[in-house]
Amino acid sequence: MENPFDNNEHGKQAIRVIGILEDAGLEAWLVGGCVRDALLGRPVHDFDIACNALWSETQAVLEASGIHTVETGIAHGTLTAVSKGTPLEITTYRIDGAYTDGRHPDSVQFTRSIQEDLARRDFTINAMAWHPTRGLLDPFNGQADLHARTLRAVGEPEKRFMEDALRILRGVRFASQLGFAIDQETASGMRAQASNLDLIATERIAHELEGLLCGKHVHGALMAYADVIGRVIPEITPMIGFDQKTKYHIYDVWEHTAYAVQYATPEPLTRWATLFHDIGKPSTFTIDEEGIGHFYGHAHEGIPPAKRAMKRLKMSPSFIERVAMLVRYHDCPTIPEPKYVKRLLRKLDGDPDLLRALCSVKRADSLSHAPAYRSGVAHAQAIEDCLDLILRESQPFTVAALDISGKDLLAMGMPQGPHIGAALNAMLEAVMDETLPNERAALLRFAREWWSKRETEIKQA
């Protein structure tokens, strides 16, 4: 077969390193995801090499050739080589021992057989090796599964997922990213071992979930494997199959959510926020005498379960708060005019990027409504257009943007204390309402009048 790495500079460095190792009498192959992605025509960023030598032998050969190495995982036979700025992981062929904890092999046995090394891998599409002269080694028909767009476990599926339950979420992530269908026997094995996900470190789970959520085919993955995802995010399970009983929706809460995630900008912040945007609906559901469903306050009620899930997944506090703000304001009515958009900006900590993310969530939410009720798409765009105008004209929406500061208020005689902040906020409100120009002289006049009234109120109290 043709060299799939011809146009990839990092791939050329990997081939160079393989040549150095083999010139020294060793055997080496490119393996795993880089082979899969190259065959799919996808961008390849990480290159893994498998070698029949122990890491110390590999290190000696490479260092003698002037290639710097780093001992990154020598307990498992892994060395990182850096060839002309390209990092390459080189791992000794190995056979994994028993997985008594459902997460890591109890032991690793090194082997001289590339076939034995490939046999320990998770899915057939990841169990291929490629060599610049010997071509493709594909003992488990991974290339055929690539062509069939099928995800299939290597060997007995249930045993594969019993060894390391994280492979279950990896499978759903691959389905989301590649748009592949999971082989029926493989899917059954995933579900049979899903309870072992409880043994996996939450950071590893969060990483797989994020990749899943940002996939191009996330709707299908969320719909097909809601039960598996619900194992690690139980907060979503009440949404599954929940009939909304309203003309605005043609999908239950979960399918509406799955479509919304698909439509949202494929970035972690917007995808996580969209996953949680309607999580408060089941707990706030009411139905009127005409049989129409309502979800009053669902955005606010969705914040605690969303935060609970993200904290359990050990996401950063700042990221959790940003997601929570998007959940809270995703259905907040906003008139697309500068003074109203600036008020919304203030609620979002004056962060234009967060407002853009909110517009993405609003757009995705509206696209997932019944076709006759998708006016929110244009509305979200109008808000974002208004934001562009505000930024282009440098219109103030934070105290820092005022043509006056707290020092100026102190200089005019206002005492140190909470009055300073209150006066600045009052000025900002007037400026955003366009009843006060953002000009120093006008702001000082406003401040003097404001402080005079406040002094009178204090004396009368």
Side-chain angles (χ1 to χ4, degrees):
M1 64 177 291
E2 294 182 1
N3 183 346
F5 303 101
D6 257 345
N7 298 318
N8 188 304
E9 187 57 39
H10 299 303
K12 291 177 183 177
Q13 294 308 314
I15 292 170
R16 173 183 175 234
V17 167
I18 288 174
I20 291 170
L21 294 172
E22 297 214 336
D23 285 346
L26 306 179
E27 179 186 279
W29 298 74
L30 277 165
V31 293
C34 64
V35 178
R36 175 199 70 225
D37 289 342
L39 292 176
L40 285 172
R42 301 176 80 219
V44 182
H45 303 291
D46 299 319
F47 290 84
D48 295 327
I49 296 172
C51 183
N52 67 342
L54 297 175
W55 71 267
S56 53
E57 299 174 72
T58 302
Q59 184 179 52
V61 169
L62 295 178
E63 292 283 352
S65 299
I67 293 178
H68 177 62
T69 63
V70 182
E71 298 173 7
T72 48
I74 57 176
H76 293 92
T78 300
L79 187 75
T80 297
V82 183
S83 176
K84 296 185 178 179
T86 297
L88 306 162
E89 279 203 353
I90 306 174
T91 304
T92 306
Y93 301 159
R94 72 187 199 212
I95 302 170
D96 292 340
Y99 287 73
T100 55
D101 66 355
R103 293 175 293 177
H104 312 102
D106 297 341
S107 61
V108 170
Q109 177 184 338
F110 298 123
T111 175
R112 296 287 179 175
S113 167
I114 181 63
Q115 285 89 350
E116 288 183 335
D117 181 85
L118 296 176
R120 71 180 175 80
R121 296 174 184 267
D122 51 8
F123 301 103
T124 62
I125 63 171
N126 296 330
M128 296 181 285
W130 183 84
H131 188 276
T133 58
R134 293 187 286 272
L136 185 69
L137 179 63
D138 184 16
F140 303 102
N141 298 314
Q143 189 173 28
D145 283 337
L146 280 182
H147 290 317
R149 300 180 65 80
T150 298
L151 199 64
R152 189 188 316 274
V154 173
E156 183 184 341
E158 196 164 339
K159 178 184 177 183
R160 198 91 302 172
F161 301 122
M162 187 185 301
E163 290 170 345
D164 182 359
L166 191 67
R167 290 169 173 165
I168 298 168
L169 287 182
R170 277 171 56 81
V172 183
R173 171 169 65 82
F174 285 132
S176 175
Q177 292 177 334
L178 302 176
F180 283 20
I182 299 178
D183 162 72
Q184 187 173 349
E185 188 178 351
T186 299
S188 296
M190 290 164 61
R191 289 189 164 96
Q193 294 299 318
S195 62
N196 283 337
L197 285 167
D198 298 347
L199 303 173
I200 304 299
T202 53
E203 294 92 340
R204 296 178 74 201
I205 287 173
H207 177 75
E208 293 297 335
L209 288 173
E210 192 156 290
L212 186 169
L213 288 175
C214 291
K216 290 178 64 176
H217 307 273
V218 63
H219 167 266
L222 291 176
M223 290 304 299
Y225 297 96
D227 54 339
V228 172
I229 297 164
R231 183 78 201 188
V232 291
I233 313 180
E235 291 83 1
I236 68 159
T237 54
M239 292 193 282
I240 301 169
F242 197 103
D243 188 351
Q244 305 201 60
K245 297 188 184 299
T246 168
K247 64 182 180 181
Y248 301 107
H249 290 281
I250 54 176
Y251 307 116
D252 66 44
V253 177
W254 179 246
E255 188 161 11
H256 163 79
T257 296
Y259 272 116
V261 174
Q262 179 79 50
Y263 292 135
T265 309
E267 297 170 353
L269 177 63
T270 49
R271 289 285 172 99
W272 278 107
T274 310
L275 178 72
F276 292 132
H277 81 284
D278 277 352
I279 201 169
K281 276 191 168 180
S283 64
T284 57
F285 178 69
T286 58
I287 191 165
D288 63 26
E289 55 262 355
E290 295 179 1
I292 298 173
H294 301 279
F295 303 94
Y296 300 120
H298 77 276
H300 184 267
E301 288 300 314
I303 294 172
K307 282 188 171 183
R308 186 166 62 248
M310 290 186 285
K311 285 179 181 177
R312 189 174 59 252
L313 293 170
K314 296 185 179 177
M315 297 181 182
S316 72
S318 60
F319 184 82
I320 291 172
E321 288 306 317
R322 286 166 69 80
V323 171
M325 277 197 280
L326 296 182
V327 172
R328 179 178 180 182
Y329 293 113
H330 81 269
D331 68 343
C332 175
T334 301
I335 299 171
E337 295 177 8
K339 65 180 179 180
Y340 299 108
V341 172
K342 284 185 279 190
R343 290 188 183 281
L344 180 56
L345 262 172
R346 291 206 72 197
K347 292 176 181 176
L348 298 173
D349 292 341
D351 186 343
D353 291 335
L354 195 55
L355 180 52
R356 292 195 192 281
L358 180 62
C359 289
S360 174
V361 175
K362 283 177 170 287
R363 227 175 345 254
D365 187 17
S366 185
L367 282 168
S368 306
H369 281 67
Y373 299 98
R374 294 179 179 174
S375 60
V377 176
H379 187 259
Q381 187 59 54
I383 293 173
E384 193 158 10
D385 290 345
C386 192
L387 171 63
D388 289 337
L389 175 67
I390 291 167
L391 296 177
R392 189 166 57 248
E393 296 183 351
S394 300
Q395 297 182 27
F397 53 86
T398 64
V399 166
L402 292 174
D403 193 21
I404 196 171
S405 70
K407 290 182 180 179
D408 296 308
L409 300 185
L410 290 170
M412 60 167 268
M414 192 178 296
Q416 182 75 51
H419 307 300
I420 300 291
L424 290 170
N425 281 312
M427 278 185 274
L428 179 60
E429 290 292 325
V431 169
M432 291 196 303
D433 277 342
E434 301 174 3
T435 60
L436 176 67
N438 188 28
E439 298 169 359
R440 181 179 175 79
L443 294 171
L444 285 171
R445 281 196 302 271
F446 179 96
R448 290 190 187 95
E449 292 173 7
W450 183 92
W451 177 235
S452 177
K453 291 178 183 177
R454 179 59 62 92
E455 271 192 312
T456 300
E457 290 170 0
I458 292 171
K459 289 175 182 175
Q460 291 175 348

